[in-house]
């Protein structure tokens, strides 16, 4: 089942990559080692893996060869990747931005829970704040090559759920500080539970709801233990693609340009795939005709109402954003106000 869906997305990735760049024949021979994201997720399987192992060698006329493994295949848990890139242990790596929220609140700026209720806004916010992150990571010995994303993180609930106000009094499995603050702002309580333990937690009433990617929840059969799927992205879990600065500076300028141009295409493709996977998750958890996977779930899809969007904006303005701003630096908040706030204003109007 997973292979069929992965194959369909892979064809899309391959077609887009083929159109992106022509073969470059005058590059020096270069060997790269890359640590990618989680190897069991489609962003790696259909995006990073074929890009680094096939597309880059082909478009470089065989001059650039790459060894890539997911960080879990390297025995890593994820939060170490950025530190190891900064130290030069990993030359190029992918890392989940949310992992570093406790290191510096600037890493939460583009993915505060409730900030981007659709993928267009999430992408626009990410692009707007990119120069700030480029400067930030440069100061930490890392060259930022791009920021991609995972699919939307959404609510799976057991029992009646009609909108955000129904979070009051509910126990909700969250996986980040900003998700916890979001749930608490609506009167719910945040519970930290590993992904693999969510099914029995929902079954036994340890939690009433849980947040994860719409397709990840489907793959883990959350549709068997929950009955309402709320179609409002809570957040997105953007991914950094970074290189050690000293390693990057030693690369031939032609190789640098080649990699930067092609990583942009990889990033675009992963964003497109995330949108498709978000919808596929909605379709398959609820048994919609558009679902191409089996079995189909029977969850009820709950669409956000105008009232939901109103209370969401109110909670963001009065609780989530101020709480984040209080723990971020003055420069960080000023950058957010100058670069992100206008994007949010345009999206709202």
């Amino acid at each position: 089942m997973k292979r069929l869906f992965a194959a369909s997305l892979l064809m899309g990735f391959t077609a887009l990559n083929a159109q992106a760049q022509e073969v470059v024949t005058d590059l020096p021979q270069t060997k790269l080692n890359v640590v990618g994201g989680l190897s069991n997720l489609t962003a790696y399987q259909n995006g990073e893996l074929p890009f680094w192992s096939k597309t880059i060698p082909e478009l470089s006329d065989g001059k650039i060869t790459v060894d890539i493994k997911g960080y879990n295949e390297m025995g890593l848990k994820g939060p170490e990747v950025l530190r190891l890139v900064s130290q030069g242990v990993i030359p190029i790596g992918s890392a989940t931005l949310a992992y570093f929220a406790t290191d510096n609140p600037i890493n939460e700026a583009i993915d505060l829970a409730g900030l981007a209720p659709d993928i267009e806004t999430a992408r626009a916010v990410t692009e707007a704040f990119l120069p700030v992150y480029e400067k930030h990571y440069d100061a930490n010995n890392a060259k930022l090559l791009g920021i991609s994303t995972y699919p939307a993180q959404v609510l799976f609930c057991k029992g009646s759920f009609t909108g955000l106000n129904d979070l009051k009094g509910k126990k909700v499995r969250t996986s980040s500080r900003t998700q916890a603050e979001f749930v608490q702002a609506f009167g719910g309580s945040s519970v930290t539970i590993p992904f693999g333990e969510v099914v029995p937690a929902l079954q036994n009433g340890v939690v009433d709801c849980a947040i994860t990617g719409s397709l990840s929840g489907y793959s883990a059969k959350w549709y068997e233990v929950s009955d309402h799927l709320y179609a409002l992205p809570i957040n997105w879990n953007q991914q950094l693609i970074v290189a050690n600065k000293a390693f990057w500076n030693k690369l031939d300028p032609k190789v640098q340009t080649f990699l930067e141009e092609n990583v942009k295409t990889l990033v675009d493709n992963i964003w497109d795939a995330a949108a498709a996977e978000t919808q596929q998750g909605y379709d398959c958890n609820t048994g919609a005709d558009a679902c191409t996977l089996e079995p189909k779930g029977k969850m009820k899809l709950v669409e956000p109402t105008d009232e939901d969007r109103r209370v969401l904006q109110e909670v963001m303005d009065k609780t989530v954003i101020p709480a984040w701003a209080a723990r971020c630096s003055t420069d960080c908040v000023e950058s957010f106000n100058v670069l992100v706030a206008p994007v949010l204003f345009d999206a709202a109007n």
Side-chain angles (χ1 to χ4, degrees), residues 138-153:
D138 182 75
N140 288 276
N141 299 316
K143 164 72 175 177
L144 180 60
L145 299 176
I147 301 180
S148 62
T149 191
Y150 283 129
Q153 306 296 296

Side-chain angles (χ1 to χ4, degrees), residues 78-87 95-109 133 136-137 140 177 240 324 327-329 332:
E80 321 95 319
V81 173
L82 185 59
R83 184 181 74 249
L84 294 174
V85 169
S86 297
Q87 294 172 350
T96 303
L97 191 59
Y99 286 158
F100 317 111
T102 54
D103 297 342
N104 190 324
I106 197 172
N107 293 311
E108 297 176 280
Y133 283 140
H136 173 72
Y137 291 112
N140 288 276
R177 179 174 183 171
L240 303 170
W324 167 77
R327 60 179 179 263
C328 209
S329 69
C332 165

Side-chain angles (χ1 to χ4, degrees), residues 36-334:
L38 273 171
S39 64
N40 61 332
L41 298 181
T42 53
Y44 177 86
Q45 295 171 350
N46 303 334
E48 293 179 287
L49 179 59
F51 171 79
W52 289 109
S53 63
K54 183 178 179 182
T55 302
I56 286 298
E58 287 180 353
L59 292 179
S60 68
D61 196 30
K63 300 295 179 54
I64 300 178
T65 55
V66 185
D67 282 337
I68 177 172
K69 289 185 178 179
Y71 67 73
N72 53 310
E73 296 177 305
M74 306 288 289
L76 302 174
K77 295 182 179 180
E80 321 95 319
V81 173
L82 185 59
R83 184 181 74 249
L84 294 174
V85 169
S86 297
Q87 294 172 350
V89 178
I90 294 175
I92 299 175
S94 294
T96 303
L97 191 59
Y99 286 158
F100 317 111
T102 54
D103 297 342
N104 190 324
I106 197 172
N107 293 311
E108 297 176 280
I110 64 172
D111 200 32
L112 294 169
L115 188 70
D118 57 70
I119 198 164
E120 293 81 11
T121 304
R123 183 74 193 271
V125 166
T126 300
E127 292 294 326
F129 211 68
L130 198 59
V132 178
Y133 283 140
E134 288 173 345
K135 182 179 179 181
H136 173 72
Y137 291 112
D138 182 75
N140 288 276
N141 299 316
K143 164 72 175 177
L144 180 60
L145 299 176
I147 301 180
S148 62
T149 191
Y150 283 129
Q153 306 296 296
V154 294
L155 278 158
F156 290 71
C157 290
K158 182 179 181 180
S160 176
F161 189 88
T162 61
L164 289 172
N165 286 326
D166 283 351
L167 284 172
K168 186 174 182 179
K170 283 186 166 53
K171 299 172 296 223
V172 183
R173 181 262 182 180
T174 60
S175 59
S176 67
R177 179 174 183 171
T178 187
Q179 285 184 2
E181 289 176 342
F182 179 87
V183 168
Q184 290 160 7
F186 284 100
S189 56
S190 169
V191 182
T192 302
I193 298 175
F195 182 83
E197 297 176 16
V198 171
V199 167
L202 282 166
Q203 279 178 322
N204 300 324
V206 175
V207 294
D208 305 297
C209 303
I211 300 173
T212 193
S214 61
L215 193 61
S216 299
Y218 171 79
S219 298
K221 298 185 178 181
W222 287 15
Y223 56 84
E224 293 183 348
V225 292
S226 57
D227 43 40
H228 288 74
L229 179 63
Y230 186 47
L232 177 73
I234 306 301
N235 63 313
W236 294 88
N237 272 0
Q238 283 94 329
Q239 306 291 298
L240 303 170
I241 303 174
V242 289
N244 173 264
K245 189 163 72 169
F247 167 80
W248 180 262
N249 289 339
K250 290 178 182 178
L251 291 175
D252 186 282
K254 290 182 180 178
V255 174
Q256 293 176 343
T257 300
F258 173 82
L259 291 176
E260 285 181 303
E261 290 177 352
N262 282 283
V263 166
K264 287 178 182 177
T265 301
L266 170 65
V267 166
D268 288 342
N269 293 346
I270 293 178
W271 277 95
D272 290 343
E277 288 188 24
T278 297
Q279 186 60 49
Q280 182 81 329
Y282 293 160
D283 292 339
C284 291
N285 281 298
T286 61
D289 291 341
C291 175
T292 59
L293 306 178
E294 291 292 346
K296 294 183 179 182
K298 296 180 180 179
M299 297 184 71
K300 177 183 173 79
L301 188 68
V302 180
E303 297 283 358
T305 64
D306 290 342
E307 173 64 10
D308 282 340
R309 298 188 187 282
R310 186 193 67 76
V311 296
L312 172 62
Q313 190 62 55
E314 184 176 305
V315 164
M316 293 302 298
D317 291 344
K318 294 183 178 180
T319 305
V320 176
I321 293 177
W324 167 77
R327 60 179 179 263
C328 209
S329 69
T330 301
D331 287 345
C332 165
V333 174
E334 183 178 345

